[in-house]
C-alpha cells in the first residue's frame, strides 16, 4: 500500500470505530433524558433505576466516543492538511462549531450530570442530561454540514488556489445534508433501540429479578428501534433523488456498502415494524424470541458502517466533489513510515480499548441494575460520638 | 475580528494549561501511591476532568475555524508529538473511565498506571511542543518538558491541598498561572504570525455570529462546575464514578 492508501485506511478505521460508539450515544442520550424526566416527575424508584442503569451503559459507551473523536479531530491536521489549506475557510467553520460550541457544552454538562448526583437540585440535574442530548445532536448536525460540503460543495467559490465561504445558509440547507442528517439520527435511534432490546431480552431470558424493569425496557427498545429504522430507511430512499448519479457505478466499494446496508436496513424494517411492533405487548413473555433479539443487536451497527462506506468511498477520488482530490488533500511530505507508525498506534490502542469497552458494557448488562456506580448513594458518615450528660 | 479570535485562541490555550494542568499533575502524583490514596486523588479531580480537557478540543476547533492554514501546518509539523500525545491522552482518559468498572487491585492498579503514564506523556510533551514551535534545539525542548512536568505536578499538589481543605484558593490560582506561564510566553511571541494567517473576514464574521449566542452558556457552565464541586458540602461522601 502506498502512503495515500495508508492515510485513507487510518481515517476509515478510526472513523468507523468512532461511529460505532457515536451511534449508540445518539440513540441512548434521548432515552436516558426521557427516563430521567419521568423519574423527576413521578419520583418512582423504577424510573430512577432505569435512568441509572441505562445512563451507566450510555456513559461507559461514551468513553470510546471521546477518545476516537479526539483522533478524528487531529487527523485532519496530521494527514489531510491539504484540505484545510484549500477549503479551511469553508470546512473549518462547521468543524469549529462542533468542537468549540457543541462538544464543549456536551462534555461540560456531561461532567455535571455524572458527578452532580446528590449534589445538584433535581431540576438542574435533569436539565444537564437534556443539554447533553441537544448538544450531542448539535454535534452530529455540524459534522454532517461539514461532510455534506465535501459531498456537494455549496455556499462557496474558488478564488485562486483556495475556496472561500460565501453563504453559510447554503451549507445548512445543502441537498447532501437534508436527507443525510435524519438518516444518521434514524441510524442512531435504531442502534439505541436495538441495544435496549437485546440487553432486556438477555435479562428476561435469564429470568431476571427485575421483571417490570426489563419488560418496560424491552417495549421501549422495540418502539424506539421501529422509529429509528423507519426514519433511517425513509430518509435513505429520499436521498436517491439527491446524490450524484455516477457515485455508485464507478466505485465497487461504495456499491457493496450500499447493497449490504440496504439489505440489512430492509430486513430490520420488516422484522421490527411488521413482527416486533405488533407483538410488543406479548414479546417480553415470549422467551423463545429473546435469543433472536439478542443475536440481532449488532445489525444496525453493521448497517451504519456499510452506510458510511457507501457515502465516503462513493466520493472517491474526490475529497471535495469535483474540486479537490483526496491525493491533493494529503499533507505534503507525509511518508509511509509516519502513517504506518501512527496507524499501528491508533488502531492498536483504540481497537484494544474498544474491545475492553464492549466487554464492560456486556458486563454491565449482565449484572443488571444492582450496585450501579452512576448515582450511587452517599456513604453514611460514621455516627458522631455521643457524650451522655449525666 | 482577527484580534478577537486571537484572544479566544490565547485564552482557551492558556486556560487549558491552567485547568487541565492540575488534572495531569494529579495523574503524575498518583504514581507509586497506595490504592486508597489514589482513589481519593482521582475522586478529587474527577468532576473537573471533562470540563477541563475540552478546552484543548476547543483550541483545535478555533485553529481550524479561524486559522485554518496554520491548523494543517502546525499539527503536521508536530506530527510525532501530536501522535504520542494523543495516545497519552487516550490511555489517560481510558484509565479514568475504566479503573472502577471492575473490582480488583490488579485491574485498578493497571489503569492507574495508565493514568500516570498518559499524564506524563502529555505534561512532558507540552514542553517539547513549546520548544519545537519556538524553534529551540531539542535539548532545550527536553528542558522545557521537564519544566512543564514539574509545574503541572506542583499545580496538581496545590489543587489536591485546596480540594482536601488543606490549602487556599489563592495558592491554587497562583500555581495555575505558573502552569500557564510557558505557553503564555510562547503565545506572545507567535501572536503576529497568527494574526497574519487568520481566515478571511467573511468566515470570521459567520463564526462569531454563530458562537456568540452560546458563549454565555459556555462560560456559565464552567463557572457552575467550580461552584458545584467546591470543597466541603460533604462532597467526600459521594462515591466517585471514576
Amino acid at each position: 500500500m502506498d502512503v495515500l492508501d495508508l492515510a485513507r485506511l487510518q481515517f476509515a478505521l478510526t472513523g468507523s470505530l468512532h461511529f460505532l460508539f457515536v451511534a449508540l450515544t445518539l440513540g441512548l442520550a434521548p432515552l436516558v433524558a426521557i427516563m430521567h424526566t419521568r423519574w423527576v416527575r413521578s419520583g418512582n424508584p423504577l424510573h430512577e433505576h432505569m435512568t441509572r442503569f441505562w445512563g451507566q451503559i450510555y456513559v461507559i459507551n461514551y468513553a470510546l466516543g471521546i477518545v476516537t473523536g479526539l483522533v478524528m479531530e487531529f487527523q485532519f491536521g496530521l494527514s489531510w492538511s491539504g484540505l484545510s489549506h484549500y477549503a479551511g475557510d469553508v470546512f473549518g467553520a462547521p468543524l469549529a462549531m462542533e468542537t468549540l460550541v457543541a462538544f464543549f457544552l456536551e462534555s461540560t454538562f456531561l461532567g455535571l450530570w455524572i458527578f452532580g448526583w446528590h449534589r445538584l437540585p433535581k431540576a438542574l440535574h435533569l436539565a444537564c442530561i437534556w443539554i447533553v442530548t441537544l448538544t450531542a445532536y448539535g454535534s452530529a448536525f455540524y459534522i454532517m454540514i461539514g461532510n455534506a460540503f465535501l459531498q456537494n460543495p455549496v455556499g462557496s467559490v474558488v478564488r485562486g488556489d483556495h475556496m472561500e465561504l460565501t453563504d453559510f445558509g447554503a451549507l445548512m440547507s445543502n441537498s447532501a445534508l437534508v436527507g443525510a442528517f435524519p438518516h444518521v439520527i434514524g441510524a442512531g435511534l435504531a442502534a439505541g433501540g436495538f441495544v435496549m432490546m437485546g440487553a432486556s431480552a438477555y435479562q428476561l431470558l435469564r429470568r431476571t429479578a427485575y421483571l417490570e424493569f426489563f419488560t418496560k425496557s424491552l417495549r421501549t427498545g422495540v418502539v424506539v428501534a421501529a422509529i429509528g429504522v423507519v426514519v433511517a430507511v425513509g430518509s435513505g430512499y429520499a436521498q436517491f433523488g439527491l446524490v450524484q448519479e455516477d457515485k455508485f457505478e464507478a466505485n465497487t466499494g461504495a456499491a457493496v456498502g450500499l447493497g449490504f446496508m440496504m439489505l440489512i436496513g430492509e430486513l430490520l424494517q420488516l422484522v421490527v415494524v411488521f413482527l416486533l411492533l405488533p407483538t410488543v405487548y406479548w414479546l417480553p413473555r415470549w422467551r423463545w424470541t429473546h435469543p433472536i433479539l439478542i443475536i440481532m443487536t449488532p445489525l444496525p451497527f453493521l448497517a451504519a458502517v456499510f452506510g458510511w462506506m457507501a457515502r465516503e468511498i462513493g466520493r472517491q477520488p474526490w475529497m471535495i466533489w469535483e474540486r479537490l482530490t483526496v491525493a491533493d488533500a494529503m499533507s505534503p511530505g507525509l511518508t509511509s513510515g509516519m502513517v504506518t507508525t501512527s496507524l499501528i498506534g491508533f488502531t492498536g490502542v483504540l481497537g484494544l480499548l474498544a474491545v475492553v469497552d464492549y466487554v464492560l458494557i456486556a458486563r454491565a448488562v449482565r449484572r443488571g441494575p444492582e450496585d450501579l456506580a452512576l448515582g450511587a448513594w452517599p456513604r453514611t458518615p460514621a455516627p458522631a460520638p455521643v457524650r451522655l450528660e449525666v | 475580528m482577527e484580534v478577537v479570535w486571537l484572544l479566544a485562541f490565547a485564552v482557551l490555550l492558556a486556560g487549558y494549561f491552567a485547568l487541565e494542568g492540575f488534572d495531569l499533575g494529579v495523574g503524575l502524583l498518583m504514581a507509586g501511591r497506595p490504592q486508597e490514596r489514589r482513589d481519593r486523588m482521582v475522586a478529587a479531580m474527577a468532576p473537573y476532568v471533562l470540563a477541563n480537557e475540552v478546552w484543548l478540543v476547543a483550541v483545535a476547533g478555533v485553529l481550524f475555524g479561524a486559522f485554518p492554514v496554520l491548523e494543517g501546518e502546525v499539527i503536521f509539523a508536530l506530527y510525532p508529538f501530536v501522535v504520542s500525545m494523543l495516545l497519552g491522552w487516550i490511555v489517560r482518559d481510558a484509565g479514568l473511565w475504566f479503573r472502577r468498572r471492575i473490582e480488583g487491585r490488579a485491574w485498578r492498579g493497571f489503569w492507574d498506571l495508565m493514568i500516570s503514564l498518559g499524564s506524563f506523556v502529555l505534561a512532558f510533551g507540552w514542553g517539547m511542543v513549546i520548544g519545537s514551535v519556538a524553534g529551540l534545539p531539542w535539548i532545550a525542548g527536553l528542558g522545557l518538558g521537564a519544566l512543564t512536568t514539574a509545574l503541572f505536578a506542583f499545580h496538581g499538589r496545590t489543587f489536591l491541598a485546596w480540594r482536601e481543605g488543606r490549602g487556599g484558593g489563592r495558592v491554587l490560582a497562583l500555581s495555575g498561572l505558573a502552569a500557564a506561564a510557558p505557553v503564555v510566553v510562547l503565545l506572545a511571541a507567535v501572536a503576529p504570525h497568527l494574526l497574519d494567517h487568520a481566515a478571511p473576514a467573511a468566515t470570521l464574521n459567520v463564526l462569531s455570529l454563530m458562537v456568540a449566542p452560546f458563549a454565555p452558556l459556555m462560560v456559565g457552565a464552567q463557572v457552575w462546575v467550580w461552584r458545584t464541586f467546591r470543597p466541603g458540602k460533604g462532597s467526600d461522601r459521594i462515591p466517585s464514578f471514576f
Side-chain angles (χ1 to χ4, degrees), chain B residues 189-206:
Chain B
V190 299
H193 188 67
L194 276 162
L195 277 180
D196 283 346
H197 290 81
T203 304
L204 292 183
N205 288 340
V206 167

Side-chain angles (χ1 to χ4, degrees), chain B residues 25 28-29 123-124 143-157 179:
Chain B
L28 291 167
L29 296 173
F124 200 88
L144 276 167
L147 176 70
T148 44
T149 309
L151 285 172
F152 287 175
F154 176 68
H155 191 28
R157 231 175 96 124

Side-chain angles (χ1 to χ4, degrees), chain A residues 295-364:
Chain A
I295 291 169
M296 279 169 61
T297 310
L299 290 179
F301 294 92
L302 206 58
V305 172
F306 279 130
W308 277 111
M309 277 174 62
R311 190 167 169 96
E312 300 302 280
I313 300 175
R315 187 163 40 79
Q316 301 301 321
W318 301 105
M319 174 65 99
I320 304 172
W321 192 259
E322 289 179 350
R323 297 281 189 284
L324 179 75
T325 62
V326 172
D328 289 334
M330 202 177 69
S331 305
L334 193 70
T335 65
S336 298
M338 290 161 86
V339 194
T340 309
T341 317
S342 60
L343 176 69
I344 293 170
F346 288 143
T347 49
V349 171
L350 291 177
L352 278 174
L353 292 178
V355 171
V356 173
D357 207 49
Y358 277 136
V359 170
L360 291 174
I361 289 175
R363 208 169 163 276

Side-chain angles (χ1 to χ4, degrees), chain A residues 123-390:
Chain A
L124 288 177
H125 190 217
L126 174 65
C128 288
I129 189 69
W130 276 110
I131 296 177
V132 168
T133 307
L134 288 175
T135 48
Y137 278 66
S139 274
F141 182 63
Y142 287 121
I143 289 300
M144 290 306 293
I145 291 181
N147 180 275
F149 167 77
L150 300 182
Q151 306 283 341
N152 181 30
V154 293
S156 53
V157 288
V158 181
R159 216 165 263 151
D161 63 345
H162 68 289
M163 294 184 92
E164 280 187 14
L165 181 68
T166 52
D167 181 4
F168 198 81
L171 249 60
M172 292 211 270
S173 57
N174 194 338
S175 62
L177 174 72
V178 289
F181 180 60
H183 191 60
V184 163
I185 296 304
L189 287 173
F194 268 82
V195 165
M196 197 169 256
M197 212 157 74
S200 306
Y202 174 84
Q203 282 279 344
L204 290 167
L205 185 68
R206 296 252 315 241
R207 300 199 187 282
T208 175
Y210 300 88
L211 191 65
E212 191 191 0
F213 181 107
F214 286 108
T215 299
K216 284 196 167 175
S217 295
L218 178 61
R219 289 186 186 139
T220 309
V222 171
V223 173
V224 172
I227 296 170
V229 170
V230 168
V231 169
V233 172
S235 56
Y237 276 113
Q239 286 180 74
F240 273 116
L242 303 169
V243 293
Q244 295 87 344
E245 278 179 9
D246 53 344
K247 245 189 113 165
F248 302 111
E249 281 151 25
N251 289 296
T252 326
V256 169
L258 184 74
F260 276 110
M261 176 193 68
M262 289 174 64
L263 192 71
I264 298 173
E266 281 168 7
L267 174 77
L268 294 184
Q269 188 174 31
L270 184 78
V271 172
V272 178
V273 177
F274 295 105
L275 298 176
L276 301 184
L277 200 57
T279 58
V280 69
Y281 180 78
W282 302 278
L283 215 50
R285 267 176 280 159
W286 292 350
R287 291 183 66 230
W288 61 271
T289 63
H290 298 166
I292 305 168
L293 299 183
I294 297 168
I295 291 169
M296 279 169 61
T297 310
L299 290 179
F301 294 92
L302 206 58
V305 172
F306 279 130
W308 277 111
M309 277 174 62
R311 190 167 169 96
E312 300 302 280
I313 300 175
R315 187 163 40 79
Q316 301 301 321
W318 301 105
M319 174 65 99
I320 304 172
W321 192 259
E322 289 179 350
R323 297 281 189 284
L324 179 75
T325 62
V326 172
D328 289 334
M330 202 177 69
S331 305
L334 193 70
T335 65
S336 298
M338 290 161 86
V339 194
T340 309
T341 317
S342 60
L343 176 69
I344 293 170
F346 288 143
T347 49
V349 171
L350 291 177
L352 278 174
L353 292 178
V355 171
V356 173
D357 207 49
Y358 277 136
V359 170
L360 291 174
I361 289 175
R363 208 169 163 276
V365 168
R366 202 175 66 230
R367 288 177 57 156
E370 220 156 323
D371 282 338
L372 293 165
L374 185 70
W377 292 99
R379 285 181 280 262
T380 39
V386 181
R387 190 168 298 146
L388 290 173
E389 302 284 336
V390 185

Side-chain angles (χ1 to χ4, degrees), chain B residues 40 63 116 151 171 173 191 194 197:
Chain B
R40 284 205 305 278
L63 202 56
S116 295
L151 285 172
V171 184
L194 276 162
H197 290 81

Side-chain angles (χ1 to χ4, degrees), chain B residues 1-230:
Chain B
M1 205 51 89
E2 292 90 353
V3 180
V4 175
W5 282 98
L6 175 68
L7 276 176
F9 180 77
V11 167
L12 285 167
L13 188 56
Y16 168 80
F17 272 68
L19 294 168
E20 182 74 342
F22 68 73
D23 294 331
L24 299 176
V26 172
L28 291 167
L29 296 173
M30 281 167 64
R33 303 289 160 103
Q35 186 187 304
E36 290 68 26
R37 178 67 190 136
R38 295 197 309 263
D39 285 349
R40 284 205 305 278
M41 292 167 94
V42 170
M45 68 162 153
Y48 301 89
V49 172
L50 280 167
N52 290 346
E53 68 178 10
V54 79
W55 285 58
L56 184 59
V57 178
V59 166
V62 172
L63 202 56
F64 214 142
F67 308 96
V69 176
L70 287 180
E71 191 265 352
E73 278 172 15
V74 172
I75 293 181
F76 183 71
L78 298 168
Y79 198 97
F81 298 117
V82 176
V83 172
S84 14
M85 287 166 74
L86 271 174
L87 289 171
W89 195 357
I90 290 167
V91 297
R92 196 284 303 254
D93 275 16
L96 287 171
W97 230 276
F98 292 166
R99 67 188 296 278
R100 283 182 90 101
R101 300 288 78 81
I102 293 178
E103 285 304 320
R105 295 191 88 82
W107 172 268
R108 197 172 298 180
F110 173 76
W111 290 113
D112 284 354
L113 193 66
M114 291 298 117
I115 295 173
S116 295
L117 186 73
S119 302
F120 174 74
V121 171
L122 277 169
F124 200 88
W126 275 116
M128 308 245 331
V129 163
I130 291 172
S132 176
V133 173
L136 301 175
W138 65 272
I139 192 89
L142 290 179
L144 276 167
L147 176 70
T148 44
T149 309
L151 285 172
F152 287 175
F154 176 68
H155 191 28
R157 231 175 96 124
T158 63
F159 168 77
L160 286 172
W162 170 77
R163 190 94 165 95
E164 291 166 354
R166 293 181 281 110
R170 191 168 295 176
V171 184
L172 177 62
L174 283 175
S175 67
L177 285 178
V183 81
V184 171
V185 173
L186 178 75
L187 279 166
V190 299
H193 188 67
L194 276 162
L195 277 180
D196 283 346
H197 290 81
T203 304
L204 292 183
N205 288 340
V206 167
L207 212 53
S208 310
L209 217 66
M210 288 195 302
V211 173
F214 297 104
L217 187 60
M218 291 164 67
V219 175
Q222 289 278 327
V223 172
W224 196 26
V225 168
W226 282 86
R227 276 190 57 85
T228 304
F229 303 111
R230 65 180 182 273

